[in-house]
């Protein structure tokens, strides 16, 4: 299962820069993860200042 970004996201962009597969892009009001591209590495969860990326 891919990671998902919750509504806690403040659109800082830090996770997108650190994603090894460029699975994260800016969405409407928050950043979003493309489930088909995410490899479940967890880097975004470790980078996010508000804990928005969640494993599912
Ligand atoms: Fe990218 Fe890894 Fe986060 Fe998936 S878990 S979106 S591959 S940083
Ligand atoms: Fe949103 Fe966290 Fe990514 Fe920043 S690092 S864009 S707050 S999910």
């Amino acid at each position: 299962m891919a990671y998902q970004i919750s509504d806690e996201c403040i659109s800082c962009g830090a996770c997108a820069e650190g994603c090894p597969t460029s699975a994260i892009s800016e969405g409407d009001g928050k950043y979003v993860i493309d489930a088909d591209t995410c490899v479940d590495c967890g880097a975004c969860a470790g980078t996010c200042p508000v804990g928005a990326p969640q494993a599912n």
Side-chain angles (χ1 to χ4, degrees):
M1 292 298 291
Y3 274 65
Q4 291 187 345
I5 294 174
S6 76
D7 290 344
E8 302 301 308
C9 174
I10 56 172
S11 296
C12 71
C15 58
E17 285 184 31
C19 177
T21 60
S22 299
I24 309 174
S25 59
E26 188 166 11
D28 185 14
K30 66 173 188 174
Y31 273 57
V32 293
I33 294 172
D34 176 45
D36 293 333
T37 311
C38 174
V39 294
D40 266 335
C41 72
C44 51
T47 302
C48 180
V50 297
Q54 312 272 340
N56 285 281

